[in-house]
Amino acid sequence: MKSVILIDCNNFFVSCERVFNPSLDGKPVVVLSSNDGCVVSRSQEAKQLGIPMGAPAFQWEHVFRKENVHVFSSHFSLYADMSRRVMETVRSSCQEFDQYSVDEFFVYCNDDTDYREWCRDLRRRIAQWTGIPTSIGIAPTKTLAKIANKIAKKNIAFNGIVDWQRDIHDHERILESVDCSEVWGIGRRYTRYLSSRGIHNARQLRDADDVIIKKNLSILGVRICYELRGISCIELTSLQAQRKTLTYSRSFGTMLTKYDDLSQAITLYSSYAAYKLRRHRLVASAITVYIRTNRFRDDLPQYSQEITVRIVPPSHNTVQIIECAQGALRSIFKQGYHYAKAGVVFTGLCPEEAAQHSLFPSIYTAPRYKNAMKAMDTIIARYGKKALYPASCGVQRQWLAKSAQCSPSYISSFKDIPICYAR
Amino acid sequence: MAEMNKYNHAKVELIPFELRTSLHLPLFASSVSAGFPLPAEEYIESILDLNEYLVQNKTSTFLLRVKGDSMRDIGIFDGSILVVDKSLEPMDGNTVIAAVDGEFLVKIYRIQGKKHMLVAANKDYQPIIIDETVTVWGVATNCINGLR
């Protein structure tokens, strides 16, 4: 039997901030999404104050003030660089691993000997080299490793490492205590369906009838069940259904006439669509941008236009795609019309592995951009796409007397490197 | 995220501290493209690379700036930049960065029998005994003092 080791950074964004600012240790700290919309990372002390994940910042402002919570805006370039360092530390210990997200790494072992000592050393090394605390789950499958990891996080008695086979004695009870929605790969829609069939927790899911699961949750659902049973079958790079295009388009609530408004909308749609590309592990070689007026308002002048621009090299990077989309919009926008709808369509889709060996290296393929995308995707996956979008989408209303600050550029600007006192 | 400047081109942010290996190409054209053998070519050695010199473990190395002059006796001044490696175990006599009362301090690490403590270069300062409230953050391996 083989084993899977999942290494997961604890409260990653907050932990990154603490590495360079020891005055935050032991204090309640939260990091907000990039538009300061909601809480995306909390220290243990902040969790104990009852601040939930995804808490809308404006609703909790009074708590932040009353309890002296330290509030930061997301500092993506810092988190991206720290993620790289954690990844390099993992790599110094083992050759074969998969970085699943900005703060999660899967290591695969060909047998099921006791790897806890190796994990203890790795955990110590990551903490020493980077200052980032981690939790580790060891199990026969990825899905179970995720559950083991969660237990390691919640119960400090395990000292950060849980081996599903050796540290957990009552698997049934643990699986019963895990809600379906908490199982890796089961989202809201599947949870609702399962609940309607009387399947509420991971044990029931594990024991569910394969045929019923396959019919309603597709092959992905069946794989999850098998993984819960200890049979490994989820490949991180498994083939997706071959998509030909990927679209994001919406009609506007009110008709737009100004370029700036359309520009914000296109930026927003582009970033949502780029996120979808990344989730499907695809890149696009072209983007079509279209805008049009309301066909049914024949009292108003009509205009509709679209343009396709190439994305070179093929990419799913939000920043690069927004640039292309903005350029496209500029060339088709015409003053004097009431626009009712806009959209972006990606074409020329190919798997992201195919694009990695492009003949035209671009600044956007640099690891720090990839890691910044991973950081964004982690937030979107956990809190929904509204939690996060680039600044060019528009400024949110100022709800705080003092806006949450981004921490200094500790590792990217000489004027901001941390201070140490000689006294 | 990269900001947009007024021309709506993404600004490239300052490149984070990283080890860039030298290219090992001479500054002048190689004989292949020049079409004739260059006399000194076979004697060209690798280029001096400050990153390689200053940084042994790029994964765990960070830069900090010094404020104050308790360490001037060993050549660390107010405004010096320290190259700090978090992966090293502190040894007796090493210059270290320690987190004390929520601040980073630069001190000398001393081991006397079983006792581990932090002292300043200047004897006027009180030593700090290492206990649970004190964490050694990293070992300073190099000090950069600008002269102008």
Side-chain angles (χ1 to χ4, degrees):
Chain A
M1 176 132 84
K2 305 196 179 178
S3 34
V4 175
I5 300 175
L6 170 60
I7 302 143
D8 183 307
C9 303
N10 299 344
N11 312 324
F12 184 57
F13 294 169
V14 165
S15 295
C16 287
E17 300 289 350
R18 278 180 162 169
V19 171
F20 304 97
N21 186 346
S23 72
L24 299 177
D25 286 347
K27 303 265 166 52
V29 185
V30 300
V31 175
L32 305 182
S33 56
S34 70
N35 59 346
D36 290 352
C38 62
V39 171
V40 294
S41 185
R42 307 157 295 164
S43 70
Q44 201 50 42
E45 298 76 10
K47 289 180 191 176
Q48 275 156 9
L49 288 175
I51 302 168
M53 196 52 110
F58 74 94
Q59 267 178 23
W60 286 81
E61 191 198 334
H62 65 288
V63 174
F64 296 163
R65 265 204 276 260
K66 178 159 169 274
E67 305 286 348
N68 291 318
V69 177
H70 296 259
V71 182
F72 292 94
S73 287
S74 288
H75 190 163
F76 287 116
S77 56
L78 180 70
Y79 309 151
D81 198 76
M82 292 306 287
S83 173
R84 169 185 69 80
R85 290 171 188 264
V86 173
M87 182 273 289
E88 282 172 1
T89 309
V90 173
R91 192 169 58 187
S92 74
S93 245
C94 68
Q95 265 77 332
E96 294 283 322
F97 68 93
D98 268 329
Q99 181 165 9
Y100 177 66
S101 72
V102 76
D103 61 354
E104 289 166 288
F105 306 85
F106 281 106
V107 177
Y108 309 106
C109 309
N110 284 322
D111 55 24
D112 59 354
T113 52
D114 193 339
Y115 283 102
R116 286 177 294 181
E117 193 57 44
W118 181 85
C119 288
R120 270 191 282 273
D121 287 342
L122 178 58
R123 209 170 152 260
R124 245 193 314 262
R125 177 179 282 203
I126 295 172
Q128 171 141 12
W129 287 23
T130 67
I132 301 289
T134 51
S135 302
I136 302 187
I138 310 165
T141 68
K142 291 193 195 62
T143 308
L144 287 172
K146 274 246 176 186
I147 294 177
N149 187 294
K150 237 181 247 199
I151 298 167
K153 274 209 213 298
K154 287 214 172 104
N155 192 336
I156 55 171
F158 287 109
N159 287 320
I161 301 174
V162 168
D163 183 327
W164 181 255
Q165 313 276 68
R166 297 176 177 84
D167 290 321
I168 306 289
H169 305 294
D170 192 347
H171 292 136
E172 305 296 301
R173 193 177 57 83
I174 297 289
L175 288 175
E176 261 162 29
S177 71
V178 174
D179 215 67
C180 273
S181 59
E182 292 179 85
V183 174
W184 189 42
I186 304 285
R188 267 200 311 263
R189 201 159 45 94
Y190 285 177
T191 306
R192 267 203 302 271
Y193 169 75
L194 291 169
S195 190
S196 73
R197 311 273 330 199
I199 300 172
H200 304 289
N201 60 54
R203 192 192 61 73
Q204 291 166 326
L205 180 58
R206 180 197 65 182
D207 298 337
D209 186 280
D210 287 5
V211 175
I212 295 177
I213 297 289
K214 169 111 185 261
K215 194 146 161 279
N216 296 283
L217 268 60
S218 86
I219 189 76
L220 298 173
V222 178
R223 287 201 184 121
I224 293 168
C225 290
Y226 271 80
E227 288 239 329
L228 286 172
R229 293 171 201 163
I231 301 159
S232 186
C233 51
I234 293 181
E235 293 302 316
L236 281 184
T237 51
S238 61
L239 289 164
Q240 321 285 329
Q242 289 307 319
R243 290 187 74 114
K244 294 264 158 40
T245 66
L246 198 150
T247 303
Y248 193 96
S249 65
R250 290 289 183 274
S251 299
F252 306 131
T254 55
M255 293 187 283
L256 303 179
T257 54
K258 294 207 285 250
Y259 175 78
D260 280 344
D261 292 336
L262 272 171
S263 176
Q264 277 185 30
I266 289 293
T267 297
L268 196 67
Y269 299 173
S270 304
S271 53
Y272 288 169
Y275 168 65
K276 280 210 275 189
L277 276 180
R278 293 196 292 278
R279 228 184 50 210
H280 285 91
R281 311 204 98 139
L282 296 168
V283 292
S285 6
I287 179 172
T288 301
V289 174
Y290 69 87
I291 52 178
R292 65 162 193 263
T293 54
N294 186 341
R295 291 170 291 196
F296 302 107
R297 290 290 301 268
D298 35 23
D299 56 312
L300 294 170
Q302 293 293 319
Y303 175 71
S304 86
Q305 187 59 269
E306 67 171 57
I307 185 170
T308 304
V309 298
R310 282 201 304 156
I311 300 173
V312 177
S315 163
H316 50 28
N317 181 289
T318 297
V319 174
Q320 182 179 2
I321 282 169
I322 287 174
E323 273 198 355
C324 295
Q326 288 297 332
L329 176 67
R330 259 195 301 278
S331 59
I332 57 175
F333 175 81
K334 273 198 156 72
Q335 198 68 256
Y337 293 96
H338 292 73
Y339 295 97
K341 184 171 179 178
V344 302
V345 184
F346 290 122
T347 52
L349 306 184
C350 51
E352 62 181 9
E353 298 86 58
Q356 266 159 23
H357 307 289
S358 166
L359 287 174
F360 304 96
S362 115
I363 53 166
Y364 299 109
T365 52
R368 66 178 180 279
Y369 277 101
K370 271 182 39 198
N371 284 335
M373 290 300 114
K374 280 208 172 95
M376 286 180 74
D377 291 351
T378 302
I379 291 186
I380 294 176
R382 290 178 198 169
Y383 312 112
K385 55 195 183 197
K386 292 216 168 66
L388 185 93
Y389 49 83
S392 53
C393 296
V395 177
Q396 289 294 86
R397 64 182 189 276
Q398 297 294 329
W399 52 268
L400 270 177
K402 289 185 294 185
S403 290
Q405 292 296 321
C406 222
S407 49
S409 301
Y410 297 120
I411 47 173
S412 55
S413 170
F414 273 97
K415 68 173 175 56
D416 279 355
I417 61 178
I419 305 281
C420 59
Y421 295 98
R423 62 162 112 94
Chain B
M1 292 303 297
E3 308 153 64
M4 302 295 216
N5 65 18
K6 60 175 176 172
Y7 302 109
N8 277 331
H9 295 298
K11 270 202 285 207
V12 177
E13 61 191 20
L14 215 67
I15 294 172
F17 177 80
E18 61 182 78
L19 182 71
R20 290 196 216 99
T21 51
S22 53
L23 274 178
H24 297 291
L25 284 180
L27 289 172
F28 41 89
S30 79
S31 63
V32 172
S33 56
F36 58 86
L38 292 169
E41 201 179 37
E42 58 199 77
Y43 298 106
I44 293 168
E45 297 174 357
S46 57
I47 303 265
L48 295 177
D49 187 324
L50 276 175
N51 274 346
E52 227 175 272
Y53 177 79
L54 293 172
V55 181
Q56 259 66 67
N57 187 343
K58 67 181 172 83
T59 302
S60 56
T61 301
F62 299 86
L63 302 182
L64 277 76
R65 190 184 299 277
V66 178
K67 270 217 172 101
D69 43 30
S70 71
M71 299 286 274
R72 60 182 306 128
D73 290 354
I74 60 166
I76 297 175
F77 302 101
D78 183 76
S80 294
I81 290 180
L82 294 177
V83 180
V84 180
D85 189 339
K86 282 174 68 63
S87 69
L88 300 174
E89 282 302 322
M91 305 203 294
D92 186 45
N94 281 165
T95 302
V96 300
I97 305 297
V100 180
D101 289 337
E103 285 183 321
F104 287 133
L105 300 182
V106 49
K107 292 280 181 190
I108 299 176
Y109 198 84
R110 297 246 65 133
I111 304 176
Q112 280 171 5
K114 287 241 163 68
K115 278 202 295 199
H116 294 228
M117 64 184 91
L118 304 171
V119 304
N122 186 321
K123 295 197 180 49
D124 290 345
Y125 293 83
Q126 282 277 42
I128 299 174
I129 308 288
I130 310 265
D131 59 23
E132 327 74 54
T133 66
V134 176
T135 328
V136 173
W137 195 83
V139 175
T141 56
N142 289 282
C143 177
I144 303 167
N145 292 317
L147 296 180
R148 287 192 296 157

